[in-house]
Amino acid sequence: MDEKKLIQRLQKRSRAALEQAIEQYTPYVSTVVWRTAGSAAAREDLEETVSDVFLALWTHAGELDPEKGLRPWLGTVARNKAVDRLRRAGASLPLPEEAPAPGPGPQEAAERMEQAEVLWRAVEALGEPDSALFLRHYWYGEKLGDAARALGLSTVAAKTRLSRGRKKLRDILTRGGDGL
């Protein structure tokens, strides 16, 4: 189903449409939240932020513009929610009594960010349903059988897709992300 019809169903307050949006866009929203918050947030905070995005979708469904699409709206809301969560966490963190251990220097931090970006682009380049399968199984730790069922795959097909995907990722990453 295209985004326009999905938005129209959301505007009519269809719970099935919300469930479809959650299933279809959770990998995308998770990626945006992770790219925004990165390692600065705990996994639970990232998951809660993703949930907050879909709550906002449900709350503001009537304001959506079917002509503009759902993905850009979700991306913007995901980024804003992640930034808000980081701000709240930073403001409520207690000050350390001792100086913190030095973190990675700017060069190392930049290299890590670049590696993470290459990895995310590589996973996205696998296409659907492979990228969703990778995120569900490896990022969220979902059991393979459950992830496969949610994506309409058999467990054997999911294992095959993961195996082929790992080989593709290995090739892409050993080339330093060339070809993405």
Side-chain angles (χ1 to χ4, degrees):
M1 173 177 295
D2 69 355
E3 283 188 343
K4 196 175 197 177
K5 289 181 182 176
L6 182 59
I7 290 172
Q8 290 168 345
R9 289 178 52 220
L10 284 166
Q11 289 174 331
K12 293 177 183 174
R13 308 301 285 171
S14 166
R15 289 186 184 266
L18 178 62
E19 290 173 11
Q20 180 183 351
I22 291 170
E23 185 171 326
Q24 184 174 343
Y25 291 103
T26 293
Y28 171 70
V29 170
S30 299
T31 300
V32 172
V33 169
W34 184 84
R35 284 183 178 171
T36 303
S39 61
R43 183 175 177 164
E44 295 80 20
D45 290 335
L46 296 174
E47 291 172 357
E48 191 172 323
T49 303
V50 170
S51 296
D52 290 345
V53 171
F54 289 108
L55 177 61
L57 173 62
W58 184 248
T59 304
H60 299 283
E63 302 166 23
L64 297 172
D65 182 354
E67 299 303 319
K68 291 185 179 177
L70 188 55
R71 188 177 173 106
W73 188 91
L74 287 170
T76 301
V77 172
R79 183 190 169 283
N80 291 343
K81 295 275 184 194
V83 168
D84 289 347
R85 185 169 293 275
L86 287 174
R87 284 185 186 141
R88 283 193 312 266
S92 64
L93 291 176
L95 293 173
E97 292 179 17
E98 297 179 16
Q107 179 68 26
E108 186 179 342
E111 288 171 2
R112 285 183 185 176
M113 290 289 287
E114 186 176 319
Q115 289 170 348
E117 179 69 26
V118 168
L119 178 60
W120 277 108
R121 283 197 328 254
V123 170
E124 287 176 343
L126 294 174
E128 293 299 332
D130 294 353
S131 60
L133 182 61
F134 262 77
L135 287 171
R136 283 174 174 259
H137 184 63
Y138 292 118
W139 177 256
Y140 291 112
E142 190 172 351
K143 291 181 180 176
L144 184 59
D146 294 340
R149 271 190 298 285
L151 296 169
L153 301 170
S154 69
T155 304
V156 172
K159 285 181 183 179
T160 302
R161 286 180 175 275
L162 286 177
S163 176
R164 276 193 241 143
R166 284 191 304 270
K167 288 177 185 172
K168 285 181 190 176
L169 289 177
R170 189 178 313 118
D171 291 344
I172 290 169
L173 296 174
T174 56
R175 291 191 317 259
D178 296 338
L180 287 179

